Amino acid sequence: MSKHQKLLPLSPVPLYSQLKELLRTRILDGSYPAHSQMPSESELGAIYKVSRITVRQALSDLHKEGLIFKIHGKGTFVAKPKAFQNVSKLQGLSEAMSQLGYEVLNQLLSFKFVKADSQVANRLQVPEGTKVAEIKRIRLINREPVSLEVTYVPQLIGEQLEKADLITRDIFLILENDCGVALGHADLAIDAVSASGELLKALNINEGSPIMRIERLTHNAEGVPIDFENLYYRGEAFQYRLRIDRHTNN
Amino acid sequence: MSKHQKLLPLSPVPLYSQLKELLRTRILDGSYPAHSQMPSESELGAIYKVSRITVRQALSDLHKEGLIFKIHGKGTFVAKPKAFQNVSKLQGLSEAMSQLGYEVLNQLLSFKFVKADSQVANRLQVPEGTKVAEIKRIRLINREPVSLEVTYVPQLIGEQLEKADLITRDIFLILENDCGVALGHADLAIDAVSASGELLKALNINEGSPIMRIERLTHNAEGVPIDFENLYYRGEAFQYRLRIDRHTNN
């Protein structure tokens, strides 16, 4: 019983919410491994000393997040976790995922200064052929490669990124904290493509595997484009989530 | 020259904007076919009786939208149009695409009442086995199939949809206008999968083609889930676009 951290009944955080966080941590750290059966509602109630209603609310939230699934008449099981990023707010992968208890690391494939081709020049609003920095990184979540990221930034920013820690840090946070750039908004285009070329080795996948591709153009607070990226996510390993409203205030 | 509609110099809409709309219409209706060369800037200026600056601004906007592309030293060409939907606001496909000059039609594959499986029951917050309506539609943009849409709604709403025109209309608009349902927000999850099963025939694609998959749960204005859908888009034919801000007011 000692391995079960106690909930805090006097905390302002509701008990079901504490229980949900605790169970989520256990699932993500492997204490409850993928495909294993979760303890029953009454067992969980006994272990964590909470009512069945509290257990049910916590499980219902975990179910909505896709962390557990139910098999009728058999009980509740741990899902193979499919990582997802909530993209209602502009965040780097590490920033977003570490809040959910995932560890993000990067493998730097290449960092070089190249001449902007017509697409890069158009997006960064510089003349074609202008020197820009090209950065290729594999991003790993819990040590598994989930995406290849190809980033283009203007030369001056590139020279600062060159000195920064690109293995553990998001480029967004380096821009904000080391380069003093205030980030504004990003325009995203999302589609699906088949894996080929350098993606195969980078993501350890077969030719033709489904890839979620994101073209992302990030602007500073003044609206100037400063960071043009193509992100290639392994389709079966990652998801974007967002909320859209019918009526917006724009 | 008579085929070239005239711009209106006295209109409050800027000339470059009028020219852009006119050229966009011509591209989308095939007057300027995919991969054909656009007239030069000076030719366009002569045809539409506007300055070169006006032409350039219009072309620059069309370029940003991906409707045309430039080949250095050769000129401007019409891109194979990849349709996209701006998902910053919750809209049905027809509603969103008709604003961009596309025609959306639907082919109704099936409409039946089925027992909710555990996923559908969970999303619509009804007991497993509850009767719900299942609607399968192929959505065609400019007569080409771009997506298969599998929709689940509660029985009562289903009975109203059954009487509605599902060939030319969005379900969102039927819900609002015929059923008196005020739509609220939708939660989306986006990933990429490989085409298989019924998708192959429905979208006229090969096994393994990349598919952008969207799980969308739409709620009414009171926050009750009323419409659960899985949307399967042909990866090479469609794109979602959105803008994300670094700092939100939530």
Side-chain angles (χ1 to χ4, degrees):
Chain A
M1 203 66 109
S2 63
K3 75 184 266 267
H4 293 293
Q5 193 184 314
K6 278 202 189 130
L7 303 185
L8 307 168
L10 298 180
S11 155
V13 179
L15 276 174
Y16 81 84
S17 187
Q18 293 183 46
L19 178 60
K20 179 183 70 179
E21 293 306 323
L22 206 151
L23 293 176
R24 185 203 278 122
T25 306
R26 294 269 153 82
I27 291 171
L28 295 177
D29 73 11
S31 305
Y32 294 125
H35 303 126
S36 71
Q37 183 161 12
M38 293 288 289
S40 70
E41 288 179 3
S42 53
E43 285 165 346
L44 286 170
I47 292 170
Y48 296 105
K49 300 193 178 24
V50 290
S51 72
R52 198 143 168 172
I53 291 178
T54 300
V55 171
R56 238 175 238 168
Q57 176 71 57
L59 290 180
S60 162
D61 283 9
L62 293 172
H63 190 227
K64 275 188 202 151
E65 289 180 27
L67 286 170
I68 58 175
F69 61 95
K70 287 171 194 169
I71 299 182
H72 192 68
K74 294 213 169 157
T76 301
F77 295 82
V78 179
K80 180 170 183 333
K82 178 160 194 167
F84 67 88
Q85 180 175 358
N86 183 329
V87 292
S88 294
K89 187 182 166 193
L90 180 62
Q91 288 189 312
L93 187 69
S94 170
E95 198 181 353
M97 301 311 292
S98 61
Q99 289 166 359
L100 297 170
Y102 291 95
E103 176 206 51
V104 175
L105 283 174
N106 313 308
Q107 185 186 336
L108 184 62
L109 287 186
S110 65
F111 190 120
K112 50 190 177 189
F113 290 92
V114 299
K115 288 182 177 176
D117 67 16
S118 68
Q119 191 198 32
V120 170
N122 172 270
R123 297 299 195 275
L124 291 179
Q125 292 179 13
V126 297
E128 207 173 315
T130 305
K131 207 169 153 189
V132 295
E134 180 200 77
I135 306 157
K136 291 190 182 180
R137 297 195 298 175
I138 300 171
R139 311 213 65 171
L140 304 103
I141 295 182
N142 292 354
R143 319 258 156 160
E144 271 213 52
V146 295
S147 72
L148 175 68
E149 185 187 282
V150 183
T151 303
Y152 295 93
V153 296
Q155 181 176 4
L156 278 179
I157 292 179
E159 286 165 3
Q160 293 179 277
L161 291 185
E162 212 175 5
K163 299 175 215 142
D165 168 15
L166 292 163
I167 306 301
T168 68
R169 296 179 69 197
D170 284 337
I171 286 178
F172 283 174
L173 294 179
I174 300 173
L175 289 174
E176 284 187 330
N177 299 330
D178 299 17
C179 307
V181 172
L183 296 178
H185 74 278
D187 292 315
L188 276 72
I190 307 173
D191 60 10
V193 297
S194 286
S196 64
E198 64 184 332
L199 284 175
L200 306 184
K201 197 176 153 220
L203 300 180
N204 190 25
I205 50 178
N206 293 326
E207 177 107 32
S209 300
I211 295 286
M212 177 170 75
R213 177 174 64 175
I214 321 283
E215 189 187 298
R216 182 169 67 186
L217 180 62
T218 302
H219 304 70
N220 67 17
E222 284 77 47
V224 178
I226 52 162
D227 178 1
F228 173 58
E229 294 171 298
N230 274 290
L231 315 175
Y232 302 89
Y233 285 96
R234 278 170 51 212
E236 86 292 1
F238 204 75
Q239 217 175 42
Y240 263 20
R241 294 198 189 169
L242 68 151
R243 175 188 155 129
I244 314 178
D245 291 295
R246 179 68 173 160
H247 301 284
T248 56
N249 300 320
N250 305 330
Chain B
M1 203 66 107
S2 62
K3 76 185 265 269
H4 293 293
Q5 191 184 318
K6 275 198 189 135
L7 302 186
L8 307 167
L10 298 180
S11 156
V13 179
L15 277 174
Y16 81 84
S17 188
Q18 294 183 45
L19 179 59
K20 180 183 68 178
E21 293 306 323
L22 205 150
L23 293 176
R24 186 203 277 122
T25 306
R26 293 271 152 81
I27 291 170
L28 295 177
D29 73 12
S31 305
Y32 294 125
H35 303 125
S36 71
Q37 182 161 13
M38 293 288 289
S40 69
E41 287 180 4
S42 54
E43 284 166 346
L44 285 171
I47 293 170
Y48 296 105
K49 300 193 176 29
V50 290
S51 73
R52 196 143 169 172
I53 290 177
T54 299
V55 171
R56 238 176 240 167
Q57 176 71 57
L59 291 180
S60 162
D61 283 7
L62 293 173
H63 189 230
K64 274 187 204 152
E65 289 179 27
L67 285 170
I68 58 175
F69 61 97
K70 288 172 192 169
I71 299 182
H72 191 68
K74 295 213 169 158
T76 300
F77 295 81
V78 179
K80 179 168 183 336
K82 179 161 195 164
F84 66 88
Q85 179 175 359
N86 183 328
V87 291
S88 293
K89 188 183 166 192
L90 180 63
Q91 289 189 310
L93 187 69
S94 170
E95 198 181 354
M97 301 311 293
S98 61
Q99 289 166 0
L100 297 170
Y102 291 94
E103 176 206 51
V104 175
L105 283 174
N106 313 308
Q107 186 186 334
L108 184 62
L109 287 186
S110 65
F111 190 119
K112 50 189 176 190
F113 289 92
V114 299
K115 287 182 177 176
D117 67 17
S118 68
Q119 192 199 31
V120 170
N122 171 271
R123 296 299 195 278
L124 292 179
Q125 293 179 14
V126 296
E128 209 173 315
T130 305
K131 207 169 154 191
V132 296
E134 180 200 76
I135 306 157
K136 291 190 183 182
R137 297 195 299 174
I138 300 171
R139 311 213 64 172
L140 303 102
I141 295 182
N142 292 353
R143 320 256 155 162
E144 271 212 52
V146 295
S147 72
L148 175 68
E149 187 186 280
V150 183
T151 303
Y152 294 93
V153 295
Q155 182 177 3
L156 277 180
I157 292 180
E159 285 164 4
Q160 293 179 277
L161 292 185
E162 212 175 5
K163 300 174 215 143
D165 168 15
L166 291 164
I167 306 301
T168 68
R169 296 178 70 197
D170 284 337
I171 286 178
F172 283 174
L173 294 179
I174 300 173
L175 289 174
E176 284 187 330
N177 299 330
D178 299 17
C179 308
V181 171
L183 295 178
H185 74 277
D187 293 314
L188 276 72
I190 307 172
D191 61 10
V193 296
S194 286
S196 64
E198 64 183 335
L199 284 175
L200 307 183
K201 195 176 155 219
L203 301 180
N204 190 24
I205 50 179
N206 293 325
E207 177 107 34
S209 300
I211 295 286
M212 177 170 75
R213 178 174 64 176
I214 321 282
E215 188 188 299
R216 182 170 68 186
L217 180 63
T218 301
H219 304 71
N220 67 17
E222 284 77 48
V224 178
I226 50 161
D227 178 1
F228 173 58
E229 294 172 297
N230 274 290
L231 315 174
Y232 302 89
Y233 286 97
R234 279 170 51 211
E236 85 293 359
F238 204 75
Q239 216 174 42
Y240 262 20
R241 295 197 189 168
L242 69 151
R243 174 188 157 130
I244 315 179
D245 290 294
R246 179 67 171 160
H247 301 285
T248 56
N249 300 320
N250 305 333

